[in-house]
Amino acid sequence: MTPVHLALLILLLPLASAAFIALFLRRAGGLASAVSVTACTGLAVAALALAFGGERNFPASWEWLRLGGFSLSLGFKFDDLAALMLVIVGVVGLCVHVFSLGYMHDDGAKARYFGGLSVFMFSMLGIVFADNLFMMFIFWELVGFSSYLLINHYCEKQSAADAAKKAFIVNRVGDFGFLLGIVMCYWLNGTVNLTELAAHHVYSSWVPLLLFCGAVGKSAQLPLQVWLPDAMEGPTPVSALIHAATMVAAGIYMLCRIEPVMTPTALTVIMWTGTATALYAALCAITQRDIKKVLAYSTLSQLGYMVAAFGLGSLPSGQGDHKVLVAAGVGAAMFHLTTHAFFKALMFLGSGSVIYGCHHEQDIFKMGGLKSKVPLTFATFTIGVAAIIGLPFLAGFFSKDAILYLAFANNKAVFALLAFTAVLTALYMVRLWKIVFLGAPRSEEASHAHEGGLSMTVPLVLLAVLSVVGGYGFFFEKLAGSVAHLVPEAGGSDHTVIFVVSLVVMTLGAGAALLFYRAETADSLEQKSPGLFGALSALKESFDAVYNYYVAKIQQRFAILLNFLEQVALAGLIIRGFSGLVGLFGIGARALHVGSLHAYVYWFLIGVVILWAYAAGVF
């Protein structure tokens, strides 16, 4: 089988699975789950074979649509970057599918759920393979559609329906900017093919900034971050797949894809957006009680790290003119994307195991004592926590250090903010770990918690192993090839500084959490400092309050005005007015039909006179 055929097989397997489930298995949940898992297993195996097979940059493109001089092609761009993302999507997707067999075992809409997973996998793989921005946008929107379906799986719950609509609408805001960027890129360059853009393009900061809007929506960066915490209303495996490892990572992947069109101005905006998001989300995570929302804000913060890393890969202002060096930013961002995909998917699935064992209880202050109740989940979740806080020699330690080194070398202010964010990361993650697993059970559900079956524990073990080895050179370089060589390495004294800073921030954050928080039914921060707790809690609500005010007081009133103008001007004056005028002419014409031959003769003669006058030039 040629690489092109293998890539086509990978892309079409989940589509075939989704179509088969939709057509024949809508009421057969067990069979639908088997079909979906089998398809995902096949694509994961094929993805590993393609990624590790060494085949790169094989030509494959088909013209899909032509309008005059404009043509829209669908094609594959498979390089080291795509190989890395392909393995992440395939491996994490398979783990989520297998975990879902146990977690969704008794769900009445299991067929719809697994069909949605297959649609999502197809959509995400299309983004990975896309060789041009138009094709990427098509699959980008399909990802939004499939995520809407999955977030809204529990559609009988109003909160789930609201969260799905919110995610869909907020992402459309970012996607509108993304589409404008694609159109502007085509207008300036005559192409949106990624390979051609890398060879030559017209430089304009508007193009990368508009394209970045898509990443702001998908990767939930400020100010469009409000949808991701609410999206935790979906099933927990969906959170692991969409909101930890793949969908939200699509924005980072897209940024790395459009690296050739970047300018120093755009990179500066991207850098500060990521830094602000990382700090904001870390502050929000400290006060959360829902285990999934803590992980959601953690994801926001880590995505901010990746975006900041990409922006940090530029040369200082004034150097290199338009020759922007973003290779180091691409390497650091993709390195952290890879390690984060493994340990965050591990923690989301671990939280799913906890929720399942505690009979769907999600409040961490109603848990406790789970260390002995779910020992395997505890062990693997502990590895995930250790990885994200940067424990030396785990995956997260290496990727976080690469970002901190970039910040230290390029922008000391960003370095200070990211280091402080790392302290907060250790604080809220160890807080979560201690309250959930240590102490005594604080509810009836926690007292009777139990471990899930093999389908739920095997994925945890695999992801735990990847959370350990995923940051080592032998793993990353074999998978990513040239991308791995872009990862910045600190040398000499810089290496010592970064290593010491990493240990200090981890120790400060983790130590503070262990000493300050107690495994009991109330939040220690809320008890001891209600003012600070209230201020941090208001951070999340502030954005929603602003958007709600805008919708109610500005957008809704503008919509009412437009509706009034439409009713008066369009429906009233134009439509009803012209129809009334036509009716008047009809009434007049009908009045002429009196049934008298003499009257018709007079009208005939009048008509002849008018015709003669017109022919003679009187008028």
Side-chain angles (χ1 to χ4, degrees), residues 344-373:
K344 187 53 66 66
L346 167 63
M347 286 189 286
F348 261 112
L349 293 184
S351 71
S353 180
V354 167
I355 294 168
Y356 182 84
C358 291
H359 307 283
H360 298 282
E361 176 59 64
Q362 295 185 201
D363 189 338
I364 61 175
F365 291 100
K366 294 182 180 179
M367 296 178 183
L370 298 183
K371 176 183 176 181
S372 58
K373 303 289 184 180

mmCIF file of all heavy atoms in Angstrom, residues 344-373:
data_model
loop_
_atom_site.group_PDB
_atom_site.id
_atom_site.type_symbol
_atom_site.label_atom_id
_atom_site.label_comp_id
_atom_site.label_asym_id
_atom_site.label_seq_id
_atom_site.Cartn_x
_atom_site.Cartn_y
_atom_site.Cartn_z
ATOM 1 N N LYS A 344 -2.625 15.349 29.987
ATOM 2 C CA LYS A 344 -3.936 15.929 30.248
ATOM 3 C C LYS A 344 -5.044 14.940 29.884
ATOM 4 O O LYS A 344 -6.065 14.861 30.580
ATOM 5 C CB LYS A 344 -4.093 17.242 29.493
ATOM 6 C CG LYS A 344 -5.377 18.015 29.821
ATOM 7 C CD LYS A 344 -5.571 18.247 31.314
ATOM 8 C CE LYS A 344 -4.529 19.143 31.922
ATOM 9 N NZ LYS A 344 -4.568 20.520 31.440
ATOM 10 N N ALA A 345 -4.860 14.180 28.797
ATOM 11 C CA ALA A 345 -5.828 13.124 28.495
ATOM 12 C C ALA A 345 -5.852 12.102 29.625
ATOM 13 O O ALA A 345 -6.919 11.598 30.004
ATOM 14 C CB ALA A 345 -5.473 12.447 27.173
ATOM 15 N N LEU A 346 -4.684 11.798 30.188
ATOM 16 C CA LEU A 346 -4.601 10.878 31.329
ATOM 17 C C LEU A 346 -5.409 11.412 32.507
ATOM 18 O O LEU A 346 -6.191 10.662 33.132
ATOM 19 C CB LEU A 346 -3.137 10.697 31.730
ATOM 20 C CG LEU A 346 -2.867 10.017 33.074
ATOM 21 C CD1 LEU A 346 -3.396 8.592 33.078
ATOM 22 C CD2 LEU A 346 -1.372 10.036 33.382
ATOM 23 N N MET A 347 -5.269 12.689 32.806
ATOM 24 C CA MET A 347 -5.979 13.240 33.963
ATOM 25 C C MET A 347 -7.480 13.370 33.711
ATOM 26 O O MET A 347 -8.285 13.156 34.621
ATOM 27 C CB MET A 347 -5.368 14.584 34.353
ATOM 28 C CG MET A 347 -4.020 14.437 35.043
ATOM 29 S SD MET A 347 -3.402 15.985 35.738
ATOM 30 C CE MET A 347 -2.919 16.834 34.262
ATOM 31 N N PHE A 348 -7.868 13.700 32.491
ATOM 32 C CA PHE A 348 -9.298 13.753 32.205
ATOM 33 C C PHE A 348 -9.928 12.374 32.288
ATOM 34 O O PHE A 348 -11.011 12.195 32.865
ATOM 35 C CB PHE A 348 -9.548 14.365 30.828
ATOM 36 C CG PHE A 348 -9.925 15.821 30.880
ATOM 37 C CD1 PHE A 348 -9.067 16.785 30.380
ATOM 38 C CD2 PHE A 348 -11.121 16.219 31.421
ATOM 39 C CE1 PHE A 348 -9.395 18.129 30.424
ATOM 40 C CE2 PHE A 348 -11.475 17.557 31.470
ATOM 41 C CZ PHE A 348 -10.606 18.522 30.970
ATOM 42 N N LEU A 349 -9.273 11.369 31.715
ATOM 43 C CA LEU A 349 -9.800 10.009 31.831
ATOM 44 C C LEU A 349 -9.737 9.534 33.282
ATOM 45 O O LEU A 349 -10.625 8.810 33.745
ATOM 46 C CB LEU A 349 -9.021 9.057 30.925
ATOM 47 C CG LEU A 349 -9.195 9.279 29.417
ATOM 48 C CD1 LEU A 349 -8.449 8.201 28.631
ATOM 49 C CD2 LEU A 349 -10.666 9.294 29.017
ATOM 50 N N GLY A 350 -8.686 9.954 34.000
ATOM 51 C CA GLY A 350 -8.614 9.633 35.428
ATOM 52 C C GLY A 350 -9.753 10.262 36.194
ATOM 53 O O GLY A 350 -10.355 9.633 37.085
ATOM 54 N N SER A 351 -10.097 11.498 35.856
ATOM 55 C CA SER A 351 -11.247 12.135 36.511
ATOM 56 C C SER A 351 -12.536 11.408 36.149
ATOM 57 O O SER A 351 -13.445 11.288 36.972
ATOM 58 C CB SER A 351 -11.347 13.612 36.100
ATOM 59 O OG SER A 351 -11.760 13.754 34.756
ATOM 60 N N GLY A 352 -12.596 10.903 34.898
ATOM 61 C CA GLY A 352 -13.756 10.105 34.508
ATOM 62 C C GLY A 352 -13.864 8.826 35.315
ATOM 63 O O GLY A 352 -14.959 8.415 35.709
ATOM 64 N N SER A 353 -12.721 8.203 35.593
ATOM 65 C CA SER A 353 -12.711 7.002 36.427
ATOM 66 C C SER A 353 -13.183 7.323 37.846
ATOM 67 O O SER A 353 -13.937 6.560 38.453
ATOM 68 C CB SER A 353 -11.305 6.405 36.459
ATOM 69 O OG SER A 353 -11.255 5.249 37.258
ATOM 70 N N VAL A 354 -12.757 8.483 38.359
ATOM 71 C CA VAL A 354 -13.186 8.921 39.693
ATOM 72 C C VAL A 354 -14.688 9.198 39.703
ATOM 73 O O VAL A 354 -15.419 8.765 40.609
ATOM 74 C CB VAL A 354 -12.391 10.175 40.126
ATOM 75 C CG1 VAL A 354 -13.032 10.817 41.350
ATOM 76 C CG2 VAL A 354 -10.939 9.813 40.405
ATOM 77 N N ILE A 355 -15.169 9.923 38.693
ATOM 78 C CA ILE A 355 -16.592 10.255 38.617
ATOM 79 C C ILE A 355 -17.427 8.987 38.484
ATOM 80 O O ILE A 355 -18.468 8.834 39.134
ATOM 81 C CB ILE A 355 -16.843 11.216 37.436
ATOM 82 C CG1 ILE A 355 -16.168 12.570 37.699
ATOM 83 C CG2 ILE A 355 -18.336 11.408 37.191
ATOM 84 C CD1 ILE A 355 -16.104 13.478 36.485
ATOM 85 N N TYR A 356 -16.975 8.070 37.646
ATOM 86 C CA TYR A 356 -17.681 6.800 37.463
ATOM 87 C C TYR A 356 -17.705 6.004 38.761
ATOM 88 O O TYR A 356 -18.742 5.457 39.153
ATOM 89 C CB TYR A 356 -16.984 6.002 36.362
ATOM 90 C CG TYR A 356 -17.623 4.680 36.036
ATOM 91 C CD1 TYR A 356 -18.687 4.604 35.145
ATOM 92 C CD2 TYR A 356 -17.152 3.497 36.604
ATOM 93 C CE1 TYR A 356 -19.277 3.389 34.832
ATOM 94 C CE2 TYR A 356 -17.731 2.280 36.300
ATOM 95 C CZ TYR A 356 -18.799 2.226 35.414
ATOM 96 O OH TYR A 356 -19.372 1.010 35.115
ATOM 97 N N GLY A 357 -16.552 5.952 39.446
ATOM 98 C CA GLY A 357 -16.475 5.198 40.701
ATOM 99 C C GLY A 357 -17.293 5.824 41.816
ATOM 100 O O GLY A 357 -17.808 5.125 42.692
ATOM 101 N N CYS A 358 -17.435 7.171 41.778
ATOM 102 C CA CYS A 358 -18.210 7.885 42.804
ATOM 103 C C CYS A 358 -19.652 8.123 42.369
ATOM 104 O O CYS A 358 -20.315 9.047 42.876
ATOM 105 C CB CYS A 358 -17.538 9.218 43.124
ATOM 106 S SG CYS A 358 -15.972 9.077 43.981
ATOM 107 N N HIS A 359 -20.132 7.326 41.430
ATOM 108 C CA HIS A 359 -21.529 7.392 40.991
ATOM 109 C C HIS A 359 -21.878 8.785 40.467
ATOM 110 O O HIS A 359 -22.882 9.380 40.836
ATOM 111 C CB HIS A 359 -22.469 6.978 42.131
ATOM 112 C CG HIS A 359 -22.116 5.643 42.729
ATOM 113 N ND1 HIS A 359 -22.429 4.438 42.111
ATOM 114 C CD2 HIS A 359 -21.439 5.311 43.864
ATOM 115 C CE1 HIS A 359 -21.979 3.446 42.848
ATOM 116 N NE2 HIS A 359 -21.373 3.939 43.914
ATOM 117 N N HIS A 360 -20.959 9.322 39.631
ATOM 118 C CA HIS A 360 -21.139 10.582 38.899
ATOM 119 C C HIS A 360 -21.164 11.814 39.806
ATOM 120 O O HIS A 360 -21.775 12.834 39.463
ATOM 121 C CB HIS A 360 -22.389 10.512 38.017
ATOM 122 C CG HIS A 360 -22.299 9.432 36.979
ATOM 123 N ND1 HIS A 360 -21.563 9.565 35.827
ATOM 124 C CD2 HIS A 360 -22.811 8.168 36.951
ATOM 125 C CE1 HIS A 360 -21.645 8.453 35.117
ATOM 126 N NE2 HIS A 360 -22.393 7.579 35.776
ATOM 127 N N GLU A 361 -20.471 11.740 40.906
ATOM 128 C CA GLU A 361 -20.232 12.909 41.747
ATOM 129 C C GLU A 361 -19.004 13.648 41.204
ATOM 130 O O GLU A 361 -17.968 13.033 40.947
ATOM 131 C CB GLU A 361 -19.993 12.489 43.195
ATOM 132 C CG GLU A 361 -19.648 13.637 44.135
ATOM 133 C CD GLU A 361 -20.737 14.702 44.168
ATOM 134 O OE1 GLU A 361 -21.852 14.380 44.611
ATOM 135 O OE2 GLU A 361 -20.471 15.834 43.718
ATOM 136 N N GLN A 362 -19.091 14.976 41.022
ATOM 137 C CA GLN A 362 -17.987 15.740 40.451
ATOM 138 C C GLN A 362 -17.406 16.783 41.403
ATOM 139 O O GLN A 362 -16.390 17.400 41.100
ATOM 140 C CB GLN A 362 -18.438 16.424 39.148
ATOM 141 C CG GLN A 362 -18.779 15.423 38.052
ATOM 142 C CD GLN A 362 -19.106 16.085 36.722
ATOM 143 O OE1 GLN A 362 -19.750 15.490 35.874
ATOM 144 N NE2 GLN A 362 -18.679 17.313 36.519
ATOM 145 N N ASP A 363 -18.040 17.009 42.551
ATOM 146 C CA ASP A 363 -17.549 17.986 43.525
ATOM 147 C C ASP A 363 -16.376 17.373 44.295
ATOM 148 O O ASP A 363 -16.518 16.373 44.991
ATOM 149 C CB ASP A 363 -18.678 18.363 44.481
ATOM 150 C CG ASP A 363 -18.303 19.533 45.383
ATOM 151 O OD1 ASP A 363 -17.095 19.794 45.577
ATOM 152 O OD2 ASP A 363 -19.223 20.184 45.905
ATOM 153 N N ILE A 364 -15.194 17.985 44.177
ATOM 154 C CA ILE A 364 -14.004 17.403 44.815
ATOM 155 C C ILE A 364 -14.118 17.406 46.333
ATOM 156 O O ILE A 364 -13.497 16.570 47.005
ATOM 157 C CB ILE A 364 -12.718 18.153 44.388
ATOM 158 C CG1 ILE A 364 -12.770 19.625 44.792
ATOM 159 C CG2 ILE A 364 -12.499 18.018 42.896
ATOM 160 C CD1 ILE A 364 -11.478 20.385 44.493
ATOM 161 N N PHE A 365 -14.920 18.307 46.891
ATOM 162 C CA PHE A 365 -15.058 18.356 48.347
ATOM 163 C C PHE A 365 -16.051 17.311 48.866
ATOM 164 O O PHE A 365 -16.275 17.217 50.072
ATOM 165 C CB PHE A 365 -15.468 19.757 48.792
ATOM 166 C CG PHE A 365 -14.373 20.774 48.596
ATOM 167 C CD1 PHE A 365 -14.379 21.616 47.502
ATOM 168 C CD2 PHE A 365 -13.318 20.857 49.488
ATOM 169 C CE1 PHE A 365 -13.361 22.547 47.312
ATOM 170 C CE2 PHE A 365 -12.293 21.774 49.306
ATOM 171 C CZ PHE A 365 -12.309 22.619 48.207
ATOM 172 N N LYS A 366 -16.633 16.537 47.953
ATOM 173 C CA LYS A 366 -17.464 15.408 48.344
ATOM 174 C C LYS A 366 -16.779 14.084 48.011
ATOM 175 O O LYS A 366 -17.427 13.045 47.951
ATOM 176 C CB LYS A 366 -18.829 15.489 47.659
ATOM 177 C CG LYS A 366 -19.663 16.674 48.110
ATOM 178 C CD LYS A 366 -21.022 16.685 47.428
ATOM 179 C CE LYS A 366 -21.845 17.883 47.888
ATOM 180 N NZ LYS A 366 -23.172 17.940 47.209
ATOM 181 N N MET A 367 -15.498 14.156 47.801
ATOM 182 C CA MET A 367 -14.720 12.944 47.510
ATOM 183 C C MET A 367 -13.836 12.625 48.702
ATOM 184 O O MET A 367 -14.291 12.565 49.821
ATOM 185 C CB MET A 367 -13.920 13.126 46.216
ATOM 186 C CG MET A 367 -14.808 13.312 44.990
ATOM 187 S SD MET A 367 -13.878 13.592 43.477
ATOM 188 C CE MET A 367 -15.213 13.841 42.303
ATOM 189 N N GLY A 368 -12.550 12.444 48.496
ATOM 190 C CA GLY A 368 -11.637 12.156 49.595
ATOM 191 C C GLY A 368 -11.464 10.669 49.836
ATOM 192 O O GLY A 368 -12.381 9.869 49.634
ATOM 193 N N GLY A 369 -10.290 10.291 50.257
ATOM 194 C CA GLY A 369 -10.018 8.908 50.616
ATOM 195 C C GLY A 369 -10.022 7.938 49.449
ATOM 196 O O GLY A 369 -10.111 6.722 49.648
ATOM 197 N N LEU A 370 -9.903 8.436 48.227
ATOM 198 C CA LEU A 370 -9.990 7.548 47.062
ATOM 199 C C LEU A 370 -8.680 6.829 46.760
ATOM 200 O O LEU A 370 -8.646 5.975 45.878
ATOM 201 C CB LEU A 370 -10.438 8.351 45.828
ATOM 202 C CG LEU A 370 -11.820 9.004 45.923
ATOM 203 C CD1 LEU A 370 -12.162 9.690 44.616
ATOM 204 C CD2 LEU A 370 -12.885 7.967 46.250
ATOM 205 N N LYS A 371 -7.633 7.183 47.466
ATOM 206 C CA LYS A 371 -6.339 6.522 47.249
ATOM 207 C C LYS A 371 -6.457 5.010 47.382
ATOM 208 O O LYS A 371 -5.890 4.261 46.578
ATOM 209 C CB LYS A 371 -5.323 7.067 48.248
ATOM 210 C CG LYS A 371 -3.966 6.384 48.198
ATOM 211 C CD LYS A 371 -3.037 6.941 49.265
ATOM 212 C CE LYS A 371 -1.709 6.198 49.275
ATOM 213 N NZ LYS A 371 -0.795 6.719 50.326
ATOM 214 N N SER A 372 -7.204 4.554 48.379
ATOM 215 C CA SER A 372 -7.354 3.114 48.602
ATOM 216 C C SER A 372 -8.544 2.520 47.854
ATOM 217 O O SER A 372 -8.610 1.313 47.652
ATOM 218 C CB SER A 372 -7.509 2.835 50.100
ATOM 219 O OG SER A 372 -8.634 3.536 50.618
ATOM 220 N N LYS A 373 -9.472 3.387 47.423
ATOM 221 C CA LYS A 373 -10.671 2.899 46.734
ATOM 222 C C LYS A 373 -10.392 2.615 45.259
ATOM 223 O O LYS A 373 -10.901 1.646 44.698
ATOM 224 C CB LYS A 373 -11.806 3.925 46.860
ATOM 225 C CG LYS A 373 -12.182 4.296 48.293
ATOM 226 C CD LYS A 373 -12.886 3.158 48.991
ATOM 227 C CE LYS A 373 -13.343 3.595 50.391
ATOM 228 N NZ LYS A 373 -14.034 2.488 51.099
#
